[in-house]
Coordinates of all heavy atoms in Angstrom, one line a residue:
M267 N 14.9 9.7 20.4 CA 14.7 9.7 19.0 C 13.3 9.4 18.6 O 12.7 10.0 17.7 CB 15.7 8.8 18.3 CG 17.1 9.3 18.4 SD 18.2 8.2 17.5 CE 17.7 8.5 15.8
L268 N 12.7 8.3 19.2 CA 11.4 7.9 18.8 C 10.4 9.0 19.0 O 9.5 9.2 18.1 CB 11.0 6.6 19.5 CG 9.6 6.0 19.2 CD1 9.6 5.6 17.7 CD2 9.3 4.8 20.1
E269 N 10.5 9.6 20.1 CA 9.6 10.7 20.4 C 9.6 11.8 19.4 O 8.6 12.4 19.0 CB 9.9 11.4 21.8 CG 9.6 10.4 23.0 CD 10.7 9.4 23.2 OE1 11.8 9.5 22.6 OE2 10.5 8.6 24.1
G270 N 10.9 12.1 18.9 CA 11.0 13.1 17.8 C 10.3 12.7 16.5 O 9.7 13.6 15.9
L271 N 10.5 11.4 16.2 CA 9.8 11.0 15.0 C 8.3 11.0 15.1 O 7.6 11.4 14.2 CB 10.2 9.5 14.6 CG 11.7 9.4 14.1 CD1 12.0 7.9 14.0 CD2 11.9 10.1 12.8
L272 N 7.8 10.6 16.3 CA 6.3 10.7 16.5 C 5.8 12.1 16.5 O 4.7 12.4 16.0 CB 6.0 10.0 17.8 CG 6.3 8.5 17.8 CD1 6.0 7.9 19.2 CD2 5.5 7.7 16.7
A273 N 6.7 13.0 17.0 CA 6.2 14.4 17.0 C 6.1 15.0 15.6 O 5.4 16.0 15.4 CB 7.3 15.3 17.8
T274 N 6.8 14.4 14.6 CA 6.6 14.9 13.3 C 5.3 14.4 12.6 O 5.0 14.7 11.5 CB 7.8 14.5 12.4 OG1 7.8 13.1 12.2 CG2 9.1 14.9 13.0
G275 N 4.6 13.5 13.3 CA 3.4 13.0 12.8 C 3.5 11.6 12.2 O 2.6 11.0 11.6
R276 N 4.8 11.1 12.2 CA 5.0 9.7 11.6 C 4.3 8.7 12.4 O 4.3 8.7 13.7 CB 6.5 9.5 11.6 CG 6.9 8.2 10.9 CD 8.4 8.0 11.0 NE 9.2 9.0 10.3 CZ 10.0 8.8 9.3 NH1 10.1 7.6 8.8 NH2 10.7 9.8 8.8
P277 N 3.6 7.8 11.8 CA 2.8 6.7 12.5 C 3.8 5.8 13.3 O 4.9 5.6 12.9 CB 2.2 5.9 11.4 CG 2.1 6.8 10.3 CD 3.3 7.7 10.4
F278 N 3.4 5.3 14.5 CA 4.3 4.5 15.3 C 4.9 3.4 14.6 O 6.1 3.2 14.7 CB 3.5 4.0 16.6 CG 4.3 3.2 17.5 CD1 5.1 3.8 18.4 CD2 4.2 1.8 17.4 CE1 5.9 3.0 19.3 CE2 5.0 1.0 18.3 CZ 5.8 1.6 19.2
L279 N 4.1 2.6 13.9 CA 4.6 1.4 13.2 C 5.6 1.7 12.1 O 6.5 0.9 11.8 CB 3.5 0.5 12.6 CG 2.6 -0.1 13.7 CD1 1.5 -0.9 13.1 CD2 3.5 -1.1 14.6
N280 N 5.6 2.9 11.6 CA 6.6 3.4 10.7 C 7.8 3.8 11.4 O 9.0 3.5 11.0 CB 6.0 4.5 9.8 CG 7.1 5.0 8.8 OD1 7.9 5.8 9.1 ND2 7.0 4.5 7.6
A281 N 7.6 4.6 12.5 CA 8.7 5.1 13.2 C 9.6 4.1 13.8 O 10.8 4.2 13.9 CB 8.2 6.1 14.4
V282 N 9.1 3.0 14.3 CA 9.9 1.9 14.9 C 10.7 1.1 13.9 O 11.5 0.3 14.3 CB 9.0 0.9 15.8 CG1 8.4 1.7 17.0 CG2 8.0 0.2 15.0
R283 N 10.5 1.3 12.6 CA 11.4 0.8 11.6 C 12.7 1.5 11.6 O 13.7 1.0 11.2 CB 10.8 0.8 10.2 CG 9.5 0.0 10.1 CD 8.9 0.1 8.7 NE 9.9 -0.4 7.7 CZ 10.0 0.1 6.5 NH1 9.2 1.1 6.1 NH2 10.9 -0.5 5.6
W284 N 12.7 2.7 12.2 CA 13.9 3.6 12.1 C 14.6 3.6 13.5 O 15.8 3.8 13.5 CB 13.5 5.0 11.7 CG 13.0 5.1 10.3 CD1 11.8 4.9 9.9 CD2 13.8 5.3 9.2 NE1 11.7 5.1 8.5 CE2 13.0 5.3 8.1 CE3 15.2 5.6 9.0 CZ2 13.5 5.5 6.8 CZ3 15.7 5.7 7.7 CH2 14.8 5.7 6.6
T285 N 13.9 3.6 14.5 CA 14.5 3.7 15.9 C 13.7 2.8 16.9 O 12.5 2.8 16.8 CB 14.6 5.1 16.3 OG1 15.4 5.2 17.5 CG2 13.3 5.8 16.5
A286 N 14.5 2.1 17.7 CA 13.8 1.2 18.7 C 13.2 2.0 19.8 O 13.7 3.0 20.2 CB 14.8 0.3 19.2
P287 N 12.0 1.5 20.3 CA 11.4 2.2 21.4 C 12.3 2.0 22.6 O 13.1 1.1 22.7 CB 10.1 1.4 21.6 CG 9.9 0.7 20.3 CD 11.2 0.4 19.7
P288 N 12.2 2.8 23.7 CA 13.0 2.7 24.9 C 13.0 1.3 25.4 O 11.9 0.7 25.5 CB 12.4 3.7 25.8 CG 11.7 4.7 24.9 CD 11.2 4.0 23.7
G289 N 14.1 0.7 25.7 CA 14.2 -0.6 26.3 C 14.3 -1.7 25.2 O 14.5 -2.9 25.6
Y290 N 14.2 -1.4 23.9 CA 14.2 -2.5 22.9 C 15.4 -2.4 22.0 O 15.5 -3.2 21.0 CB 12.9 -2.4 22.1 CG 11.7 -2.9 22.9 CD1 11.0 -2.0 23.7 CD2 11.3 -4.2 22.8 CE1 9.9 -2.4 24.4 CE2 10.2 -4.6 23.6 CZ 9.5 -3.8 24.4 OH 8.5 -4.2 25.1
S291 N 16.3 -1.5 22.2 CA 17.5 -1.4 21.4 C 18.5 -2.6 21.7 O 18.6 -2.9 22.9 CB 18.2 -0.1 21.6 OG 19.5 -0.1 21.0
E292 N 19.1 -3.1 20.7 CA 20.2 -4.1 20.9 C 21.3 -3.5 21.8 O 22.0 -4.3 22.4 CB 20.8 -4.6 19.6 CG 19.9 -5.6 18.9 CD 20.7 -6.2 17.7 OE1 21.6 -5.6 17.1 OE2 20.3 -7.3 17.3
H293 N 21.4 -2.2 21.8 CA 22.5 -1.6 22.5 C 22.4 -1.8 24.0 O 23.4 -1.8 24.7 CB 22.6 -0.1 22.2 CG 23.1 0.2 20.8 ND1 24.4 0.0 20.5 CD2 22.4 0.6 19.7 CE1 24.5 0.3 19.2 NE2 23.3 0.7 18.7
I294 N 21.2 -2.1 24.5 CA 21.1 -2.3 26.0 C 21.7 -3.7 26.4 O 21.9 -3.9 27.5 CB 19.7 -2.2 26.5 CG1 18.8 -3.3 25.9 CG2 19.1 -0.8 26.2 CD1 17.4 -3.4 26.5
T295 N 21.9 -4.5 25.4 CA 22.5 -5.8 25.7 C 24.1 -5.7 25.9 O 24.7 -6.7 26.4 CB 22.3 -6.8 24.5 OG1 23.1 -6.4 23.4 CG2 20.9 -7.0 24.1
G296 N 24.6 -4.6 25.5 CA 26.1 -4.4 25.6 C 26.8 -5.2 24.5 O 28.1 -5.2 24.5
R297 N 26.1 -5.8 23.6 CA 26.8 -6.6 22.5 C 26.7 -5.9 21.1 O 27.2 -6.4 20.1 CB 26.1 -7.9 22.4 CG 26.4 -8.8 23.6 CD 25.7 -10.1 23.5 NE 26.1 -11.0 24.6 CZ 26.4 -12.2 24.5 NH1 26.4 -12.8 23.3 NH2 26.8 -12.9 25.5
A298 N 26.1 -4.7 21.1 CA 25.9 -4.0 19.8 C 26.8 -2.8 19.7 O 27.1 -2.2 20.7 CB 24.5 -3.6 19.6
V299 N 27.4 -2.6 18.5 CA 28.2 -1.4 18.3 C 27.7 -0.7 17.1 O 27.2 -1.2 16.1 CB 29.7 -1.8 18.1 CG1 30.3 -2.4 19.4 CG2 29.9 -2.7 16.9
D300 N 28.0 0.6 17.1 CA 27.7 1.5 15.9 C 29.1 2.0 15.5 O 29.8 2.6 16.3 CB 26.8 2.7 16.3 CG 25.4 2.3 16.5 OD1 25.0 1.2 15.9 OD2 24.7 3.0 17.1
F301 N 29.4 1.8 14.2 CA 30.6 2.4 13.6 C 30.2 3.7 13.0 O 29.1 4.0 12.8 CB 31.1 1.4 12.5 CG 31.6 0.1 13.1 CD1 30.8 -1.0 13.1 CD2 32.9 0.0 13.6 CE1 31.3 -2.2 13.6 CE2 33.3 -1.2 14.2 CZ 32.5 -2.3 14.1
V302 N 31.3 4.5 12.8 CA 31.1 5.9 12.2 C 31.6 5.9 10.8 O 32.6 5.2 10.5 CB 31.7 7.0 13.1 CG1 31.0 7.1 14.4 CG2 33.2 6.7 13.3
P303 N 30.9 6.6 9.9 CA 29.8 7.4 10.2 C 28.5 6.5 10.4 O 28.3 5.5 9.7 CB 29.6 8.2 8.9 CG 30.2 7.3 7.8 CD 31.3 6.6 8.5
S304 N 27.8 6.8 11.4 CA 26.6 6.1 11.8 C 25.4 6.5 11.0 O 24.4 6.9 11.5 CB 26.3 6.2 13.3 OG 27.4 5.7 14.1
D305 N 25.6 6.3 9.7 CA 24.5 6.6 8.8 C 24.7 5.7 7.5 O 25.6 5.0 7.4 CB 24.3 8.1 8.5 CG 25.6 8.7 7.9 OD1 26.3 8.0 7.2 OD2 25.9 9.8 8.2
A306 N 23.9 5.9 6.5 CA 23.9 5.1 5.3 C 25.3 5.3 4.6 O 25.7 4.4 3.8 CB 22.8 5.5 4.3
D307 N 26.0 6.3 4.8 CA 27.3 6.5 4.2 C 28.3 5.5 4.6 O 29.3 5.2 3.9 CB 27.9 7.9 4.5 CG 27.2 9.0 3.8 OD1 26.4 8.7 2.8 OD2 27.3 10.2 4.2
F308 N 28.1 4.8 5.7 CA 29.0 3.8 6.2 C 29.1 2.6 5.2 O 30.2 2.0 5.1 CB 28.6 3.2 7.5 CG 29.6 2.3 8.1 CD1 30.8 2.7 8.6 CD2 29.4 0.9 8.1 CE1 31.7 1.9 9.1 CE2 30.3 0.0 8.7 CZ 31.5 0.5 9.1
K309 N 28.1 2.4 4.4 CA 28.2 1.3 3.3 C 29.3 1.6 2.3 O 29.7 0.7 1.6 CB 26.9 1.1 2.6 CG 26.5 2.3 1.7 CD 25.2 2.1 1.1 CE 24.8 3.1 0.1 NZ 25.1 4.5 0.4
D310 N 29.7 2.9 2.2 CA 30.7 3.3 1.2 C 32.2 3.3 1.7 O 33.1 3.6 1.0 CB 30.4 4.6 0.6 CG 29.0 4.6 -0.1 OD1 28.7 3.6 -0.7 OD2 28.2 5.6 0.1
V311 N 32.4 3.1 3.0 CA 33.7 3.2 3.6 C 34.3 1.8 3.5 O 33.6 0.8 3.6 CB 33.7 3.8 5.0 CG1 33.1 5.2 5.0 CG2 33.1 2.9 6.0
P312 N 35.7 1.7 3.4 CA 36.3 0.4 3.3 C 36.0 -0.5 4.5 O 36.0 -1.7 4.4 CB 37.8 0.8 3.3 CG 37.8 2.1 2.6 CD 36.6 2.8 3.2
A313 N 35.8 0.1 5.7 CA 35.6 -0.7 6.9 C 34.3 -1.6 6.7 O 34.3 -2.7 7.2 CB 35.4 0.2 8.1
Y314 N 33.3 -1.1 6.0 CA 32.1 -1.8 5.8 C 32.4 -3.1 5.0 O 31.9 -4.2 5.3 CB 31.0 -1.0 5.1 CG 29.7 -1.8 4.9 CD1 29.0 -2.2 6.0 CD2 29.3 -2.1 3.7 CE1 27.8 -3.0 5.8 CE2 28.1 -2.8 3.5 CZ 27.4 -3.2 4.6 OH 26.2 -4.0 4.4
Q315 N 33.2 -3.0 3.9 CA 33.5 -4.1 3.1 C 34.3 -5.1 3.9 O 34.1 -6.4 3.8 CB 34.3 -3.7 1.9 CG 34.4 -4.8 0.8 CD 33.0 -5.3 0.4 OE1 32.1 -4.6 0.1 NE2 32.8 -6.7 0.4
W316 N 35.2 -4.6 4.8 CA 36.0 -5.5 5.6 C 35.1 -6.3 6.6 O 35.2 -7.5 6.7 CB 37.0 -4.7 6.4 CG 38.0 -5.6 7.2 CD1 39.2 -6.1 6.7 CD2 37.8 -6.1 8.5 NE1 39.7 -6.9 7.7 CE2 38.9 -6.9 8.8 CE3 36.8 -6.0 9.4 CZ2 39.0 -7.6 10.0 CZ3 36.9 -6.7 10.6 CH2 38.0 -7.5 10.9
L317 N 34.1 -5.6 7.2 CA 33.2 -6.2 8.1 C 32.4 -7.3 7.4 O 32.2 -8.4 7.9 CB 32.3 -5.2 8.7 CG 32.9 -4.3 9.8 CD1 32.1 -3.1 10.0 CD2 33.1 -5.1 11.1
K318 N 31.9 -7.0 6.2 CA 31.1 -8.0 5.4 C 32.0 -9.3 5.2 O 31.4 -10.3 5.2 CB 30.7 -7.4 4.1 CG 29.7 -6.2 4.2 CD 28.4 -6.6 4.6 CE 27.6 -7.2 3.5 NZ 26.2 -7.5 3.9
E319 N 33.3 -9.1 5.0 CA 34.1 -10.2 4.6 C 34.6 -10.9 5.9 O 34.8 -12.1 5.9 CB 35.3 -9.8 3.8 CG 34.8 -9.3 2.4 CD 36.0 -8.6 1.6 OE1 37.1 -8.6 2.1 OE2 35.7 -8.1 0.5
R320 N 34.9 -10.2 7.0 CA 35.7 -10.8 8.1 C 35.0 -10.8 9.5 O 35.4 -11.4 10.4 CB 37.0 -10.1 8.2 CG 37.9 -10.1 7.0 CD 38.5 -11.5 6.8 NE 39.0 -12.1 7.9 CZ 40.2 -11.9 8.4 NH1 41.1 -11.1 7.8 NH2 40.6 -12.5 9.5
A321 N 33.9 -10.0 9.6 CA 33.3 -9.9 11.0 C 32.8 -11.2 11.5 O 33.0 -11.4 12.7 CB 32.1 -8.9 10.9
A322 N 32.4 -12.1 10.7 CA 31.9 -13.4 11.2 C 33.0 -14.2 11.8 O 32.8 -15.0 12.7 CB 31.3 -14.2 10.0
D323 N 34.3 -13.9 11.3 CA 35.4 -14.6 11.9 C 35.6 -14.2 13.4 O 36.2 -14.9 14.2 CB 36.7 -14.2 11.2 CG 36.7 -14.7 9.8 OD1 35.9 -15.5 9.4 OD2 37.6 -14.2 9.0
F324 N 35.0 -13.1 13.8 CA 35.1 -12.6 15.2 C 33.7 -12.6 15.9 O 33.5 -11.9 16.9 CB 35.7 -11.2 15.2 CG 37.0 -11.1 14.5 CD1 37.2 -10.8 13.2 CD2 38.2 -11.4 15.3 CE1 38.4 -10.8 12.6 CE2 39.4 -11.4 14.7 CZ 39.5 -11.1 13.3
C325 N 32.8 -13.4 15.3 CA 31.4 -13.6 15.8 C 30.6 -12.3 15.8 O 29.7 -12.2 16.6 CB 31.5 -14.1 17.3 SG 32.4 -15.7 17.4
F326 N 30.8 -11.4 14.9 CA 30.0 -10.2 14.7 C 29.1 -10.4 13.5 O 29.5 -11.0 12.5 CB 30.8 -8.9 14.6 CG 31.2 -8.4 15.9 CD1 32.3 -8.9 16.6 CD2 30.5 -7.4 16.5 CE1 32.7 -8.3 17.8 CE2 30.8 -6.8 17.7 CZ 31.9 -7.3 18.4
T327 N 27.9 -9.9 13.5 CA 27.0 -9.9 12.4 C 26.3 -8.6 12.2 O 26.1 -7.9 13.2 CB 26.0 -11.1 12.6 OG1 25.2 -11.2 11.4 CG2 25.1 -10.8 13.8
E328 N 25.9 -8.3 11.0 CA 25.2 -7.0 10.7 C 23.8 -7.3 11.2 O 23.1 -8.2 10.7 CB 25.3 -6.7 9.2 CG 24.7 -5.4 8.8 CD 24.8 -5.1 7.3 OE1 25.5 -5.9 6.6 OE2 24.3 -4.1 6.9
S329 N 23.3 -6.5 12.1 CA 22.0 -6.7 12.7 C 20.8 -6.5 11.7 O 19.9 -7.2 11.7 CB 21.8 -5.8 13.9 OG 22.7 -6.2 14.9
Y330 N 21.0 -5.4 10.9 CA 19.9 -5.1 10.0 C 20.4 -4.9 8.6 O 20.5 -3.8 8.1 CB 19.2 -3.8 10.5 CG 18.8 -3.9 12.0 CD1 19.4 -3.1 12.9 CD2 17.7 -4.7 12.3 CE1 19.1 -3.2 14.3 CE2 17.4 -4.8 13.7 CZ 18.0 -4.1 14.6 OH 17.7 -4.2 15.9
P331 N 20.8 -6.0 8.0 CA 21.3 -5.9 6.6 C 20.2 -5.5 5.6 O 19.0 -5.5 5.9 CB 21.8 -7.3 6.3 CG 21.0 -8.2 7.2 CD 20.7 -7.4 8.4
L332 N 20.6 -5.1 4.4 CA 19.7 -4.7 3.4 C 18.7 -5.9 3.1 O 19.1 -7.0 3.0 CB 20.5 -4.4 2.1 CG 19.7 -3.8 0.9 CD1 19.0 -2.5 1.3 CD2 20.6 -3.6 -0.3
G333 N 17.4 -5.6 3.1 CA 16.4 -6.6 2.8 C 16.2 -7.6 4.0 O 15.7 -8.7 3.8
N334 N 16.5 -7.2 5.2 CA 16.4 -8.1 6.4 C 14.9 -8.5 6.6 O 14.0 -7.8 6.2 CB 16.9 -7.5 7.6 CG 16.2 -6.2 8.1 OD1 15.1 -6.3 8.7 ND2 16.7 -5.1 7.8
A335 N 14.8 -9.7 7.1 CA 13.4 -10.4 7.2 C 12.5 -9.6 8.1 O 11.3 -9.7 8.0 CB 13.6 -11.8 7.7
G336 N 13.1 -8.8 9.1 CA 12.2 -8.1 10.0 C 11.6 -6.8 9.4 O 10.7 -6.2 10.0
G337 N 12.1 -6.4 8.2 CA 11.5 -5.3 7.6 C 12.1 -4.0 8.1 O 11.5 -2.9 7.9
F338 N 13.2 -4.0 8.9 CA 13.8 -2.8 9.5 C 14.6 -2.1 8.4 O 15.1 -2.8 7.5 CB 14.6 -3.2 10.7 CG 13.8 -3.7 11.8 CD1 13.8 -5.1 12.1 CD2 13.1 -2.9 12.6 CE1 13.0 -5.6 13.1 CE2 12.3 -3.4 13.7 CZ 12.3 -4.8 13.9
E339 N 14.8 -0.9 8.6 CA 15.6 -0.1 7.7 C 17.1 -0.6 7.8 O 17.5 -1.0 8.8 CB 15.6 1.4 8.1 CG 14.3 2.0 7.8 CD 13.9 2.0 6.4 OE1 14.7 2.2 5.5 OE2 12.7 1.7 6.1
W340 N 17.7 -0.6 6.6 CA 19.1 -1.0 6.6 C 20.0 -0.1 7.4 O 20.0 1.1 7.3 CB 19.6 -1.0 5.1 CG 20.9 -1.5 4.8 CD1 21.7 -2.3 5.6 CD2 21.7 -1.1 3.7 NE1 22.9 -2.6 5.0 CE2 23.0 -1.8 3.8 CE3 21.6 -0.3 2.6 CZ2 24.0 -1.7 2.9 CZ3 22.6 -0.2 1.7 CH2 23.8 -0.9 1.8
E341 N 20.8 -0.7 8.3 CA 21.7 0.0 9.2 C 23.1 -0.6 9.0 O 23.5 -1.4 9.9 CB 21.3 0.0 10.7 CG 20.0 0.7 10.9 CD 19.7 0.8 12.4 OE1 20.5 0.4 13.3 OE2 18.6 1.4 12.7
P342 N 23.8 -0.2 8.0 CA 25.1 -0.8 7.7 C 26.1 -0.6 8.8 O 27.1 -1.3 8.9 CB 25.5 -0.2 6.4 CG 24.7 1.0 6.2 CD 23.4 0.7 6.9
W343 N 25.9 0.4 9.6 CA 26.9 0.8 10.7 C 26.6 0.0 12.0 O 27.4 0.1 12.9 CB 26.7 2.3 11.0 CG 25.4 2.6 11.6 CD1 25.0 2.7 12.9 CD2 24.2 3.0 10.9 NE1 23.7 3.0 13.1 CE2 23.2 3.2 11.8 CE3 23.9 3.1 9.5 CZ2 21.9 3.5 11.4 CZ3 22.6 3.4 9.1 CH2 21.6 3.6 10.1
H344 N 25.5 -0.7 12.1 CA 25.1 -1.4 13.4 C 25.4 -2.9 13.3 O 24.8 -3.6 12.5 CB 23.6 -1.1 13.6 CG 23.1 -1.7 14.9 ND1 22.8 -0.9 16.0 CD2 22.8 -3.0 15.2 CE1 22.4 -1.7 16.9 NE2 22.3 -2.9 16.5
W345 N 26.3 -3.3 14.2 CA 26.7 -4.7 14.2 C 26.6 -5.2 15.7 O 26.6 -4.5 16.6 CB 28.1 -4.9 13.8 CG 28.3 -4.6 12.3 CD1 28.2 -3.4 11.7 CD2 28.5 -5.5 11.2 NE1 28.3 -3.5 10.3 CE2 28.6 -4.8 10.0 CE3 28.7 -6.9 11.2 CZ2 28.8 -5.4 8.8 CZ3 29.0 -7.5 10.0 CH2 29.0 -6.7 8.8
R346 N 26.4 -6.6 15.8 CA 26.3 -7.1 17.1 C 27.2 -8.4 17.2 O 27.4 -9.1 16.3 CB 24.9 -7.5 17.5 CG 24.3 -8.7 16.8 CD 22.9 -9.1 17.3 NE 22.4 -10.2 16.6 CZ 21.8 -10.2 15.4 NH1 21.5 -9.0 14.9 NH2 21.4 -11.3 14.9
Y347 N 27.6 -8.7 18.5 CA 28.4 -9.8 18.8 C 27.4 -10.9 19.3 O 26.5 -10.7 20.1 CB 29.4 -9.5 19.9 CG 30.1 -10.7 20.4 CD1 31.2 -11.2 19.7 CD2 29.7 -11.4 21.5 CE1 31.9 -12.3 20.2 CE2 30.4 -12.5 22.0 CZ 31.5 -12.9 21.3 OH 32.2 -14.0 21.7
E348 N 27.7 -12.1 18.8 CA 26.9 -13.3 19.2 C 28.0 -14.4 19.4 O 28.8 -14.6 18.5 CB 25.9 -13.7 18.2 CG 24.7 -12.8 18.1 CD 23.6 -13.4 17.2 OE1 23.8 -14.5 16.7 OE2 22.6 -12.7 17.0
E349 N 27.9 -15.1 20.5 CA 28.8 -16.2 20.7 C 28.8 -17.2 19.5 O 27.7 -17.5 19.0 CB 28.6 -16.9 22.0 CG 28.9 -16.0 23.2 CD 28.6 -16.7 24.5 OE1 28.8 -18.0 24.6 OE2 28.3 -16.0 25.5
C350 N 29.9 -17.6 19.1 CA 30.0 -18.6 17.9 C 31.2 -19.4 18.1 O 32.1 -19.2 18.9 CB 30.0 -17.8 16.6 SG 31.5 -16.9 16.2
D351 N 31.3 -20.4 17.2 CA 32.5 -21.3 17.2 C 33.6 -20.8 16.3 O 34.6 -21.4 16.3 CB 32.0 -22.7 16.8 CG 31.1 -23.4 17.8 OD1 31.2 -23.0 19.0 OD2 30.3 -24.2 17.3
E352 N 33.3 -19.7 15.6 CA 34.3 -19.1 14.7 C 34.6 -20.1 13.6 O 35.5 -20.8 13.4 CB 35.6 -18.6 15.4 CG 35.2 -17.6 16.4 CD 36.4 -17.3 17.4 OE1 37.5 -17.2 16.9 OE2 36.2 -17.2 18.6
Ligands
ZN269 ZN1 23.1 0.9 16.7

C-alpha cells in the first residue's frame, strides 16, 4: 500500500500517516485486528459504539482514535490487545 501512495506522488511523511511502512504495522505483533468495514464507515456501525464502551473490559484499545497524539489518521476499525488488569 505504501508503494502505491508514493507512486501517486504523495510525500513519504504524508503517506505514512495513512499506512505503515513494511515491518512497522501493529499487525505484525499479532495483537491488532481490523473490523469490517475497514474504513471510516466503521464509525457508524453499532459495533463501533459497543467497542468504545466495552472493549477496555477485554483489554482492547482503539489504536488510532480521532485526534490521536501521534498525528495518524483516524482508523476506527483498527484495535489492539494489550495486557491489562481489566
Ligand atoms: Zn489495521
Side-chain angles (χ1 to χ4, degrees):
M267 289 183 65
L268 182 60
E269 292 82 6
L271 288 174
L272 296 175
T274 67
R276 189 183 294 242
F278 179 81
L279 290 178
N280 180 278
V282 295
R283 293 180 64 213
W284 293 89
T285 186
Y290 287 88
S291 169
E292 282 189 336
H293 289 287
I294 65 171
T295 67
R297 293 179 173 223
V299 295
D300 286 338
F301 294 97
V302 291
S304 297
D305 57 32
D307 289 342
F308 187 72
K309 71 184 185 314
D310 299 321
V311 301
Y314 180 65
Q315 193 57 46
W316 188 91
L317 286 163
K318 296 289 282 185
E319 295 171 5
R320 301 291 312 278
D323 295 344
F324 301 93
C325 304
F326 275 83
T327 187
E328 186 178 356
S329 294
Y330 307 109
L332 185 63
N334 65 78
F338 295 101
E339 292 301 318
W340 183 23
E341 293 188 2
W343 66 91
H344 180 105
W345 292 70
R346 73 171 181 275
Y347 174 83
E348 290 184 3
E349 291 181 32
C350 69
D351 295 331
E352 299 166 43

